[in-house]
């Protein structure tokens, strides 16, 4: 636990310790009278080492059972760590359920957003014939181009708050990067013509 700030290093060190515990102590027998007893002793010793490694894994929250599985010998009995595997599967099931709920919520939110965007695209305001351009209200920061002329005879934008602008006046009020964005989208700034 010494490298407190480096989780990757801590995990690697704990994994090396667990591998050492799992792999340690197996020595080949040279033969003789206890050759038949050796496999049973090895299995018993292996079970003890596997349990010790699982115990070490539980001490380090960075390690998971799938990190240790490749270190186990091929014929390791699953009974020695089945509770740990079941707990890991339960944890993954809970994580999957949470992710599924998040995905469902996100899909619903994106569908609602698409509907709102479509409604906004189809939204239109009726502008009376006598409505004038509100560019004069922008006068301290932007020079009024039409001096408050009628908007009905020109391409214009009307806002829900009641303001209406000729597109030409609105284009001049926008920062250059917004004008470029509108031109790239084929918006108002692209085809402005007329007065």
């Amino acid at each position: 636990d010494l490298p407190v700030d480096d989780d990757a290093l801590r995990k690697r060190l704990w994994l090396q310790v667990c591998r050492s515990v799992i792999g340690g102590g197996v020595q080949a027998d040279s033969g003789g009278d206890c050759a038949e007893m050796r496999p049973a002793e090895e299995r018993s010793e292996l079970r003890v080492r596997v349990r010790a490694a699982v115990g070490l894994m539980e001490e380090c929250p960075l390690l998971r059972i799938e990190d240790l599985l490749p270190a186990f010998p091929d014929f390791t009995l699953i009974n020695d760590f089945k509770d740990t595997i079941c707990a890991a599967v339960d944890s993954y099931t809970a994580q999957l359920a949470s992710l599924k709920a998040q995905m469902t919520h996100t899909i619903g939110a994106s569908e609602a957003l698409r509907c709102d965007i479509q409604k906004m695209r189809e939204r239109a305001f009726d502008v009376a014939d006598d409505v004038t351009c509100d560019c004069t209200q922008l006068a301290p920061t932007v020079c009024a181009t039409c001096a408050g002329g009628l908007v009905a005879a020109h391409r214009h934008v009307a806002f829900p708050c009641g303001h209406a602008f000729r597109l030409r006046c609105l284009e001049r009020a926008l920062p250059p990067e917004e004008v470029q964005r509108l031109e790239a989208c084929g918006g108002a700034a692209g085809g402005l013509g007329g007065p």
Side-chain angles (χ1 to χ4, degrees), residues 31-42:
D33 296 335
C34 50
E36 296 159 6
M37 299 275 298
R38 189 70 178 154
E41 290 174 6
E42 285 180 6

Side-chain angles (χ1 to χ4, degrees), residues 1-17 60-62:
D1 280 336
L2 290 180
V4 178
D5 297 340
D6 192 356
D7 286 345
L9 178 60
R10 284 182 57 213
K11 181 176 179 175
R12 239 184 351 208
L13 291 173
W14 274 100
L15 194 54
Q16 286 179 353
V17 169
C60 178
L62 300 173

Side-chain angles (χ1 to χ4, degrees), residues 91-174:
S91 171
Y92 292 140
T93 303
Q95 288 176 1
L96 285 174
S98 173
L99 289 173
K100 185 177 179 182
Q102 288 177 3
M103 286 173 47
T104 303
H105 174 73
T106 302
I107 288 170
S110 66
E111 287 297 322
L113 187 59
R114 276 191 205 102
C115 289
D116 288 348
I117 289 171
Q118 188 60 35
K119 285 179 186 176
M120 292 303 280
R121 285 183 179 153
E122 295 170 356
R123 190 172 172 182
F125 295 103
D126 290 329
V127 178
D129 292 338
D130 61 342
V131 173
T132 59
C133 182
D134 289 320
C135 64
T136 55
Q137 294 180 11
L138 303 174
T141 55
V142 177
C143 180
T145 57
C146 69
L150 296 176
V151 295
H154 304 277
R155 292 183 61 193
H156 60 276
V157 176
F159 292 97
C161 60
H163 288 92
F165 297 93
R166 288 183 180 182
L167 285 178
R168 176 72 70 194
C169 297
L170 193 59
E171 178 188 46
R172 292 189 181 166
L174 292 174

